[in-house]
Amino acid sequence: MNRDYRMNRVGSSNFVTVIQNTCLTPAWSLWGTMAGVMGTVDTYVKPGISEHGSMTWVWQGVWEPSPACPPAQVRPDAADPSRRQAEATMEQCASVEREVDKVLQKFLTYGQHCEQSLEELLHYVGQLRAELASAALQGTPLSATLSLVMSQCCRKIKDTVQKLASDHKDIHSSVSRVGKAIDRNFDSEICGVVSDAVWDSREKQQQILQMAIVEHLYQQGMLGVAEELCQESTLNVDLDFKQPFLELNRILEALHEQDLGPALEWAVSHRQRLLELNSSLEFKLHRLHFIRLLAGGPEKQLEALSYARHFQPFARLHQREIQVMMGSLVYLRLGLEKSPYCHLLDNSHWAEICETFTRDACSLLGLSVESPLSVSFASGCVALPVLMNIKAVIEQRQCTGVWSHKDELPIEIELGMKCWYHSVFACPILRQQTSDSNPPIKLICGHVISRDALNKLINGGKLKCPYCPMEQNPADGKRIIF
């Protein structure tokens, strides 16, 4: 199979390498298939030597089709894989939901029909029973007409029961279609995507998962559920771990009830640390309290003017907003609702102050705004389909040793900008991302490479920078922490 790939090297736009692939080896075939699964793959191929002395291929850069291969059409949302995956997941859920709605509708129709049929049958049997009782009281023998009516009644009972049973079987088939829809849209064997070697032990795996769930429940304010889970799972949670969540939820509950007291008290006690974060939380709380006084009408005017003294420390940074609030006092007697300052009474200010408090308080206490469980779940929804495709390719090609490391994935998966939490440095020499065991090292000349690349470039106790001719002592390199 002849394929012509053109690859641009990252960091050097003038360097172009053309690879004429005339005979794909199993490794080439495997990674080529992976590229087909992923669509656009940011890769650059460079031969190197692994730790065991075997030939390896390092991928980094951008794939571009050669002129012989026309570029594929890219949809407008192709740059956001998380959005595409979310849309696909929603479509799968909607497909299952449609089948469930059909079953529920059949249950409702069957229930109404069954109830009506049984009521009619009971009424008919009741009338026949009354006639039989009347004939027995009169001592008259059973007439031929009454015998015929009894046989018709028995036949009607039998037909009704058979009809209800047949309709019930139809519901069984509809229920089974729900299961088939689930199997068709969702993969049940997702546990096999990650090797058991990722976890130290099953007990460790269970403990990590339970702790993540408990932290999520605390962060969502479900304190009672979290405590119950801790008791049932015998999970010991330190009080120092729970205290920040208890305080945050107490203040947020007060804010939802439009009580600014606890939040203002917390902001004043942490004023200096909030200023270091360039937070405007305290000013927004004072502003919201001032607006509440304005909403009280002319009776609160003197109290509002007196409270305006709290804005003095924030005059330099929030001068314009303070001027707007002071100007609203002119319309206080006429009513702010009909004034140019009616936007001050918008209820959206309360939702905004809750978001601001959550963000700044979590930053101050060293907590994430979103729980690690919710972030992991959202990331897994994007990454899991790709990993399942890769695992299928690996099993099909019988190259199970390709994915053996527990701290890295076989390919890079784009999760979107919202999942970028820190900078990532890729070594320009080895084309690998740095890690704690292989950190970035800054040379005297200012260029940065990984520690593994530095060790491989040492020759005779000296190191020559691969980008400039400066020779230096390897010990002079300094580790960089982003």
Side-chain angles (χ1 to χ4, degrees):
M1 182 174 67
N2 295 327
R3 294 296 301 271
D4 185 5
Y5 294 102
R6 181 164 298 166
M7 305 177 186
N8 293 342
R9 181 179 179 183
V10 173
S12 177
S13 58
N14 297 326
F15 183 84
V16 178
T17 302
V18 178
I19 297 180
Q20 184 70 23
N21 184 8
T22 58
C23 181
L24 284 177
T25 61
W28 272 102
S29 180
L30 169 65
W31 289 107
T33 308
M34 289 181 177
V37 172
M38 288 295 295
T40 301
V41 181
D42 296 337
T43 52
Y44 167 75
V45 183
K46 180 183 178 182
I49 304 299
S50 67
E51 298 177 356
H52 307 288
S54 59
M55 182 65 75
T56 61
W57 294 88
V58 180
W59 291 57
Q60 187 73 30
V62 180
W63 280 68
E64 292 183 358
S66 66
C69 302
Q73 296 295 326
V74 181
R75 296 185 302 169
D77 62 343
D80 190 355
S82 60
R83 177 182 175 184
R84 297 198 308 273
Q85 184 58 41
E87 291 176 353
T89 304
M90 291 302 297
E91 178 59 31
Q92 292 170 339
C93 294
S95 177
V96 176
E97 187 177 8
R98 286 192 292 268
E99 295 294 336
V100 174
D101 290 340
K102 292 179 182 178
V103 172
L104 293 178
Q105 184 60 36
K106 284 195 173 185
F107 267 115
L108 179 62
T109 304
Y110 175 77
Q112 295 174 349
H113 174 67
C114 182
E115 184 177 358
Q116 182 181 357
S117 301
L118 292 178
E119 286 181 355
E120 293 176 354
L121 193 60
L122 288 172
H123 180 69
Y124 184 74
V125 172
Q127 290 180 342
L128 181 59
R129 182 179 180 183
E131 293 180 6
L132 291 174
S134 177
L137 289 175
Q138 295 176 2
T140 57
L142 189 64
S143 64
T145 303
L146 199 57
S147 299
L148 180 62
V149 171
M150 288 183 60
S151 61
Q152 290 177 348
C153 180
C154 293
R155 190 180 304 109
K156 186 175 183 180
I157 293 175
K158 183 178 179 181
D159 293 342
T160 302
V161 172
Q162 289 179 349
K163 181 66 169 59
L164 293 178
S166 177
D167 293 342
H168 194 267
K169 289 181 179 179
D170 293 340
I171 296 179
H172 284 187
S173 62
S174 300
V175 173
S176 65
R177 281 195 292 269
V178 174
K180 293 178 181 178
I182 295 175
D183 294 338
R184 183 172 60 253
N185 290 279
F186 301 98
D187 198 309
S188 58
E189 298 297 331
I190 60 175
C191 297
V193 174
V194 180
S195 174
D196 293 337
V198 172
W199 309 97
D200 296 333
S201 62
R202 187 167 184 83
E203 292 75 14
K204 184 70 174 179
Q205 176 183 359
Q206 187 175 6
Q207 183 180 2
I208 293 175
L209 180 59
Q210 290 174 350
M211 195 64 189
I213 296 175
V214 168
E215 183 176 351
H216 176 79
L217 294 174
Y218 276 128
Q219 194 154 353
Q220 296 298 317
M222 304 177 184
L223 307 180
V225 181
E227 292 294 337
E228 187 69 23
L229 177 60
C230 291
Q231 294 178 4
E232 293 183 1
S233 61
T234 66
L235 188 65
N236 295 324
V237 179
D238 193 3
L239 182 60
D240 295 337
F241 174 80
K242 296 188 292 185
Q243 188 60 37
F245 297 106
L246 297 176
E247 186 176 14
L248 288 179
N249 284 287
R250 177 181 63 86
I251 297 174
L252 282 175
E253 288 180 1
L255 287 176
H256 289 312
E257 297 175 0
Q258 298 189 359
D259 181 9
L260 295 170
L264 274 170
E265 182 181 352
W266 185 89
V268 171
S269 62
H270 297 84
R271 176 179 297 171
Q272 188 58 39
R273 296 182 62 187
L274 288 172
L275 291 176
E276 294 175 359
L277 296 175
N278 296 322
S279 171
S280 58
L281 174 63
E282 185 178 356
F283 168 75
K284 290 182 177 181
L285 290 169
H286 286 303
R287 182 186 64 177
L288 197 55
H289 185 78
F290 183 82
I291 292 174
R292 291 191 66 183
L293 294 176
L294 294 179
E299 296 79 7
K300 296 288 186 178
Q301 183 174 1
L302 293 178
E303 186 177 353
L305 287 172
S306 176
Y307 192 83
R309 299 173 183 175
H310 290 88
F311 296 137
Q312 184 177 359
F314 311 100
R316 184 175 62 87
L317 296 176
H318 303 279
Q319 180 180 358
R320 176 60 182 167
E321 295 173 271
I322 295 174
Q323 289 175 347
V324 170
M325 287 185 289
M326 294 298 102
S328 64
L329 292 171
V330 178
Y331 295 89
L332 197 58
R333 294 186 180 277
L334 299 176
L336 291 181
E337 298 84 357
K338 302 178 182 179
S339 71
Y341 300 93
C342 60
H343 64 277
L344 295 176
L345 303 178
D346 195 345
N347 287 330
S348 62
H349 294 302
W350 288 100
E352 179 187 354
I353 200 64
C354 290
E355 293 177 2
T356 303
F357 172 77
T358 302
R359 182 183 65 251
D360 293 348
C362 288
S363 178
L364 195 67
L365 298 174
L367 303 174
S368 59
V369 178
E370 297 183 40
S371 70
L373 182 63
S374 60
V375 174
S376 301
F377 180 80
S379 302
C381 290
V382 177
L384 190 58
V386 179
L387 293 177
M388 292 174 65
N389 290 338
I390 294 300
K391 184 175 183 294
V393 172
I394 292 176
E395 292 177 350
Q396 182 180 3
R397 300 291 179 175
Q398 298 181 356
C399 299
T400 56
V402 173
W403 186 4
S404 58
H405 301 286
K406 62 167 145 182
D407 57 347
E408 65 179 16
L409 299 175
I411 58 172
E412 182 178 352
I413 300 177
E414 181 63 45
L415 298 178
M417 290 292 295
K418 64 180 181 180
C419 292
W420 287 19
Y421 296 99
H422 57 81
S423 301
V424 176
F425 176 77
C427 175
I429 305 301
L430 298 181
R431 306 292 180 182
Q432 295 176 347
Q433 289 187 7
T434 54
S435 60
D436 293 337
S437 59
N438 181 29
I441 304 296
K442 178 179 175 294
L443 306 179
I444 296 178
C445 54
H447 294 108
V448 181
I449 59 177
S450 65
R451 177 178 291 174
D452 289 349
L454 183 145
N455 294 332
K456 292 182 179 181
L457 291 173
I458 297 176
N459 187 9
K462 290 292 183 178
L463 170 66
K464 185 176 181 180
C465 177
Y467 289 98
C468 64
M470 180 178 291
E471 289 190 0
Q472 50 200 294
N473 189 347
D476 294 335
K478 295 183 178 179
R479 178 177 178 178
I480 295 180
I481 300 177
F482 292 101

